[in-house]
Amino acid sequence: MQGDEAELTAAVRAAQEGDEVAFRTVYRAVHPRLLGYVRTLVPDADAEDVASEAWFQIARDLQRFTGDADRFRGWTARIARNRALDHIRARGRRPVAGADESELTGMPDGADTADEALEALGTGRTMALISRLPRDQAEAVVLRVVVGLDAKSAAQVLGKRPGAVRTAAHRGLRRLAELLDGEGEPAGVDGTIPDQRWDQALTVTPRVARTLRGT
C-alpha cells in the first residue's frame, strides 16, 4: 500500500474510533473528488447540498464500514450517487450528464488524444464538457480519473461489469478530445478494450489529474 493510501486507511480507522481530527483529514482527502463526481449528476447549484447529505450519511454509518482507502472511496461514491439520484427524483430533474452510452455509435481507432485534450482544459471547462457526455461515460470518467477508483470498484458503484466501465470511460475520454477539437460524431469501434490498452489510455499526467479534480 502506497503512502497516501496507507495514510487515508489509517485516518479512516482512527475516525471510526471517534478521532475528530482524523475525520477532518478523511474529509479533506475525499471531499473534493466526491464533489466532482456529484457534479456529474446534479446541477452545480445543488451539488454542495447533495454532497453534504452524503457526508451526513457517511459520518452516521462510518462504524459499519470495513476496508482500506480504495474501498472507502468506493463506499462514499455509492452513498453520494444514491443521494444524488434521490435528489433528482425529488426535484423531477434529469441527471446533468443525461442520456445513455448507446446514444454514441462508437469511437475511432488510432492515436489517443484524450490526454492532450484534458491538458488544454481548465477545471470549469472540463466539467462543462464532461456534462455533455452520455451519463454512463461521464460517471465512468469521473469515478476512474477524478475519484481514483479501479474498474472493479467503479463497477460496484454503478452496478455494472468492470469491462463496461472501462469501455465507457475510454469512450468518454476520447469524446472529450473530440469535443475540444470541435469534430463531428464519429463511428466505428468494437467496444472491447484490453486492460493494457486501457492503462495506456488512462495514464494521465499529474497536471491532468489535478485539472480534473479541481485542485
Side-chain angles (χ1 to χ4, degrees):
M1 188 180 295
Q2 297 180 349
D4 290 345
E5 295 290 285
E7 289 178 9
L8 179 55
T9 297
V12 169
R13 291 172 181 168
Q16 289 179 304
E17 296 174 359
D19 188 328
E20 294 183 2
V21 174
F23 186 84
R24 287 196 292 271
T25 297
V26 171
Y27 179 87
R28 286 194 297 268
V30 176
H31 178 70
R33 303 183 189 192
L34 199 66
L35 181 60
Y37 177 46
V38 171
R39 282 175 171 155
T40 68
L41 296 169
V42 302
D44 275 354
D46 301 332
E48 289 282 0
D49 288 342
V50 171
S52 294
E53 292 173 8
W55 277 105
F56 178 82
Q57 183 177 345
I58 290 165
R60 185 193 68 194
D61 297 343
L62 186 59
Q63 294 293 332
R64 297 161 53 187
F65 169 76
T66 59
D68 59 9
D70 188 66
R71 285 182 177 273
F72 183 77
R73 283 192 293 266
W75 181 68
T76 59
R78 286 194 297 276
I79 290 174
R81 187 174 196 265
N82 288 336
R83 296 290 69 75
L85 295 181
D86 286 345
H87 179 83
I88 291 164
R89 285 190 288 267
R91 297 293 182 89
R93 293 173 175 170
R94 292 175 60 84
V96 169
D100 182 80
E101 178 186 19
S102 61
E103 291 186 8
L104 288 188
T105 56
M107 308 310 285
D109 293 323
D112 191 336
T113 59
D115 287 356
E116 288 82 354
L118 295 177
E119 292 236 17
L121 298 175
T123 302
R125 191 177 178 196
T126 301
M127 298 311 296
L129 288 182
I130 287 176
S131 74
R132 294 171 60 185
L133 298 176
R135 177 179 162 187
D136 63 340
Q137 292 182 15
E139 287 195 77
V141 167
V142 174
L143 285 173
R144 295 227 51 194
V145 181
V146 181
V147 180
L149 301 183
D150 60 22
K152 181 178 179 180
S153 296
Q156 290 173 344
V157 172
L158 299 174
K160 296 186 176 184
R161 297 187 305 274
V165 172
R166 291 190 188 96
T167 298
H170 183 79
R171 289 180 176 181
L173 288 172
R174 297 290 293 272
R175 182 57 176 155
L176 285 176
E178 296 215 349
L179 288 172
L180 180 64
D181 292 339
E183 297 178 357
E185 211 161 280
V189 74
D190 60 10
T192 302
I193 302 178
D195 287 342
Q196 184 176 8
R197 183 180 171 193
W198 163 255
D199 290 340
Q200 292 171 350
L202 201 58
T203 303
V204 295
T205 65
R207 185 159 70 88
V208 172
R210 287 196 298 271
T211 296
L212 281 167
R213 293 168 188 161
T215 58

